[in-house]
Amino acid sequence: MPDLRFINAHHSPLGAFASFTLGYPGASGGFDLERGQPPKEPVFVMLESANAAGSFDALPFCDAMSQDEAARFSTAHDDLNRIGASVSINVFPDEAIRREFGIARDSWRAGDLRFTVLTPALSAPDPDVADEAALKAAFVPAVYVEIEVDNSNHERARRVAFGYAGSDPYRAMCHMKTPELVGVGQGREVAILTDAPGAWSGIGFHPGLILGDALVENRGWALGQCGLLVAEVAPRAVTRLRYAIGFHRAGIVTSGIDASYLYTRWFDSAVSAARFALDRFDEAAADAADAEANLRASALSEEQRFMLAHATRAYLGSTQLLQRDGRPLWVVNEGEYRMINTFDLTVDHLFHELAHHPWAVRNVLDLYRDHYSYRDRTRLPGDSTEYDGGIAFTHDMGVANVFSARGHSCYERSGLSGCFSQMTHEQLTNWVLCAGAYVEQTDDEVWLRDNAGTLFDCLQSMILRDHPDAEQRDGVMHADSSRCSGGAEITTYDSLDTSLGQARANTYLAGKCWASYLALERLLTRLGRSDAAAQAALQARRCAETLVAAVQPDGTLPAVLEPGTPGFASRIIPAIEGLVYPWFCGRRDACNPDGPYGAYVKALRTHLDAVLKEGVCLFADGGWKLSASSDNSWLSKIYLAQFVARKILGMPASRTARSDRAHAAWLVDPRNAFWSWSDQIEAGYAIGSKYYPRGVTASLWLKEATD
Amino acid sequence: MPDLRFINAHHSPLGAFASFTLGYPGASGGFDLERGQPPKEPVFVMLESANAAGSFDALPFCDAMSQDEAARFSTAHDDLNRIGASVSINVFPDEAIRREFGIARDSWRAGDLRFTVLTPALSAPDPDVADEAALKAAFVPAVYVEIEVDNSNHERARRVAFGYAGSDPYRAMCHMKTPELVGVGQGREVAILTDAPGAWSGIGFHPGLILGDALVENRGWALGQCGLLVAEVAPRAVTRLRYAIGFHRAGIVTSGIDASYLYTRWFDSAVSAARFALDRFDEAAADAADAEANLRASALSEEQRFMLAHATRAYLGSTQLLQRDGRPLWVVNEGEYRMINTFDLTVDHLFHELAHHPWAVRNVLDLYRDHYSYRDRTRLPGDSTEYDGGIAFTHDMGVANVFSARGHSCYERSGLSGCFSQMTHEQLTNWVLCAGAYVEQTDDEVWLRDNAGTLFDCLQSMILRDHPDAEQRDGVMHADSSRCSGGAEITTYDSLDTSLGQARANTYLAGKCWASYLALERLLTRLGRSDAAAQAALQARRCAETLVAAVQPDGTLPAVLEPGTPGFASRIIPAIEGLVYPWFCGRRDACNPDGPYGAYVKALRTHLDAVLKEGVCLFADGGWKLSASSDNSWLSKIYLAQFVARKILGMPASRTARSDRAHAAWLVDPRNAFWSWSDQIEAGYAIGSKYYPRGVTASLWLKEATD
């Protein structure tokens, strides 16, 4: 198990697009509200020495703050320098630090200090129907902190300081007070509140100016970017101090579609959120303990538990529950890229969301249907003739709180064949697959009936994208969207080579087409549209047959079914990806090697066995390499493929244990660990999709023992 | 006259705490909304070459944008690179650029391009009483831009692009559209709108990706930080294109006191503000032309007109009209420091504000009286005995949209004797002097009566700060506030040495005390409180006599009236500063060398003549050196002292002409010019108080010919 002590991780409420990011050494974490990256703020968690007043030991999340701030006012600061010099801050050495890293509880211990962040909000009731009290507790934009000081062996009271230097460019640090509580934060947006008896807030250019000044009347000073809450713990005792950290953004926060945070129904500032959170601290702590117990009780290995917890945190920090005209609007932001509800991520978040808040899937599907669908025409490669197309869905809904225009993503361009090209067909399968899994898991019959027309349209659109000439249809995509303007559609694997990047005739996308036809067959059958269901079944059969027929003499499938191309020569693990969907769309029959698609399933199992070897789809460290022809491998998709391999294709868990160790090692690599959870790993180095929600595909692993 | 072509300057609406800052080469300006510093955004103002399509000439406010943005997504971008490479951007060489810099109009000409920014909002009616239409026009948070292209000698249509790369950390760049207009901006906060026929918006990682793509369908792309508005001008014609730039911040923007922008009454986003501004473009252009004509018609030299225009712009960019419970709340932010209504700046802004929006002075005085006054006790140096004190006022009301606690500034600390100490007595004089000038200029009898008690309290407080022992009172401050906790009060000159920094027995502050007593005498007389008026008169006489008695054999006044101290040995120009207040408080009698205070006035004239020499209070370049013992000289105070010297003490304008050239040269020095207007200049180099509103004291110069 790799050393987890020095990785940044998200600590987030649900739906607030916020994170108290912490763990990487130096000024590397902080309070991320709508940023999509670690804010690089110094975070101060400090305990005064038992022996020397004014000497503080600190967790390693701060660095010496610049003195420039005072120098901007004047160069002569002898008095202030004297005050500052009376305080020394010593970062605990690495070897003194222990960390317990869980899914809802993250705890550092060093010396007599224990610092614990609790983030219990994993699930939430449907905001369209749940009562307000339950919603308020589920969506309070706050996280919880406990500081425990074991002063039982010491005779002196000692000071504890917790705070940070804010980096918001618009608002100053701010003393916060309620009748019973004291707090510090920045503007109205971030607040740390405590009910610790006798605690007080300080603001200054650096911590020494706050902690070193004996004059109580200077505690109201408010210049400088550093804010601390200071409390004192008694001698000969173990003391626990509680804090709540509130995040808040008021008013309309988006454009394109005007929306505010749902939590503004109950909270008008970070202070009001943190106050509410402090009141329910015990409940939150119990919820966090339950979440940890559940995870520990799973059959997962230590590495798996780590990756699941880490990825889930990053997902939570990317979630954003808005409201538009009073109705909920669910958003998952795409990590560092901040694209809104990127659809090819939605389909990966699907499994976690169905387990924890299935209404979010419905919410996204509805907005795609109503606002981000379009109708196009199609073209065949090298031919400018346009053929009938059909309904399709955009890649995303915009970026960084800016919703894009109706029927358009922020991402897709015309005239390209690589990154930023159209993702038409893949997003079409994503709407179908999310719908199929949502209906299967929730039995939401009303929604199914409301969407009968769209589902039928999706089927027709998929068929037309197979081939304009009905005679030549083989279940696999051959026609690109007219929106490509002569370019070619891509898949979600936009930064890989054509082995996974090209949509047309791609074995990966073909697997998702097959799964989509199966899902449509089931949904249309439920809707009593047996003719359409039969059309879907025919397409599914054609697709499976095409793929089985493409198996090469060595038992592998080409990445792209276009002989003579580089993609044809390559091999990809995600050939098996499509198998996950029938499993969740009520079509486990199709996943059975002895079932109706047994030949296809067996072919995939053979393929996987054949490619999972070093030099093909394994790195030297045992990590999975999604494409034989690219070193860029994506952990989110590896996690998903591992579920398929073990749960559906029957690969023994022992065969993935070494890879899990490799994958965990990638995440804690000091080159990568600043970025919390990252997806695109090129030979061990995170090159993109950092600070990213997608790894929540790991939640599939919890289904392996139970489903 | 120095070269003004490459200085940053504010271009601001009134009361929006916003600026389109522009002029310094490179990515040095941009759209500053609540930042207090140039945002360092690349600003693109580009005209396509008459000869080569795809080749653009740009004003020098941009630099090559980083390609990192695309690389974050993927490293393979051949197609995008090809598109980008089809465009070249050439910055006009310095020698091609002409600039006309005015108070409301700033215009650059290069090649066939003319780019003009109009900022006509200099004055505003009283928001407590004015009608909504007048207020809306006065406070629309927008500035105006005209691009003129002289294509009369060319046969090809040419493209014009105007835009920028936004640096807000929270919101993406954003296409904006109304039925008739097109725009681009960032989030809901900044919008550039145009009514140019056929104009379109583009967003991308860099300008080449927008201008180089022939596919119209890609114009909706929305990834990247660069946003442009692109229009085309016809051949064989001169074309003028109009733009409005809107700024907007919604909702409650402050804490401590909860307030929103007054303009949110009429505008819900930057787009709505810019749309309104475009509708009144002609009116705005006429107002700007009037402002320029007025300035040109003044008797000021070219250097003076430059400094007045430049400083006024910086002041406007620092103004912020808020509302609290629907009532106006006026704020001037302290430049780079962003302190709120710093009172020792208010008293300098006074003269400009009384000329343009006198209600702002009243608004600030009321909030100081109601929320930021306090009662203290006093101490004599080296003695911990506390004596009666009285009403006093804080240094400021908070910082960076965070209002400080009632009765406390963000700035003042106890236990100090230098920068950040208490400014009690000086702020007390500032309330009195602002009140005196406000009443004199407006004849607001109602306000005077409402504040009779406060004025009386101010007089008593000043007297008690003179000396606790009535026998020892001499009109000059001798007792420090108990809030100093044994430290010593300072003056506004907090970063200078004790010659100007120490409040007690300071000749500068003594001059303001004298002026305050004169103002109180007049106000209390108007109120019929003849006994109190007589008390004030007595103190004024004592003060003048004390100062006259302190004149040294060489005819100069010591900086500090404490023999044997370094301050006693130093000499300061601001000894004369106090003379400005009786001039505006209805006491010009007291400024008359043959009047009741003639001896004091004559002494000051003699003092000024004696110190205004190199080695004392002149730099080698002829610039004024406020203190003989410090190289840190403040332009705002120099401007004020020049008014006193010329208008009140009768110094001929010819004697200040050389200094004006030096002062103008300081501002355009490439080391300083990034910071727009700056105040603290140490031997020619701006060391603090940058991007600063205070230089609006130069508006006094306009009174020299007329008053």
Side-chain angles (χ1 to χ4, degrees), chain A residues 443-584:
Chain A
D443 270 325
D444 186 343
E445 202 72 35
V446 173
W447 190 87
L448 174 60
R449 307 240 154 249
D450 286 348
N451 286 276
T454 304
L455 289 163
F456 181 78
D457 288 351
C458 286
L459 174 62
Q460 302 315 315
S461 181
M462 284 191 65
I463 292 172
L464 290 167
R465 285 164 213 281
D466 175 339
H467 203 288
D469 175 4
E471 296 302 311
Q472 296 190 54
R473 287 181 191 143
D474 62 1
V476 171
M477 168 192 165
H478 295 291
D480 287 298
S481 170
S482 55
R483 282 202 173 184
C484 292
S485 304
E489 282 183 40
I490 57 173
T491 76
T492 186
Y493 293 99
D494 58 357
S495 62
L496 274 74
D497 64 6
T498 51
S499 68
L500 270 166
Q502 173 183 319
R504 205 178 55 244
N506 192 291
T507 302
Y508 151 70
L509 189 57
K512 288 182 73 170
C513 289
W514 170 75
S516 299
Y517 288 126
L518 293 174
L520 284 165
E521 182 191 0
R522 176 155 173 95
L523 292 166
L524 292 163
T525 301
R526 280 179 78 151
L527 287 164
R529 309 223 14 194
S530 51
D531 287 1
Q535 266 190 304
L538 171 64
Q539 284 293 103
R541 265 198 308 284
R542 282 175 172 163
C543 184
E545 286 165 11
T546 301
L547 288 161
V548 169
V551 172
Q552 299 297 297
D554 65 355
T556 63
L557 274 162
V560 179
L561 305 181
E562 291 181 342
T565 64
F568 189 82
S570 186
R571 298 294 178 266
I572 52 173
I573 292 175
I576 70 169
E577 191 170 322
L579 279 176
V580 75
Y581 300 107
W583 192 264
F584 288 94

Side-chain angles (χ1 to χ4, degrees), chain B residues 630-652:
Chain B
S630 173
D631 274 351
N632 186 355
S633 206
W634 297 8
L635 281 171
S636 62
K637 293 299 202 176
I638 293 174
Y639 296 168
L640 191 161
Q642 288 183 325
F643 169 82
V644 171
R646 288 187 299 251
K647 184 69 179 176
I648 301 178
L649 297 179
M651 178 178 285

Side-chain angles (χ1 to χ4, degrees), chain A residues 68 368 651:
Chain A
D68 292 356
Y368 266 110
M651 177 178 286

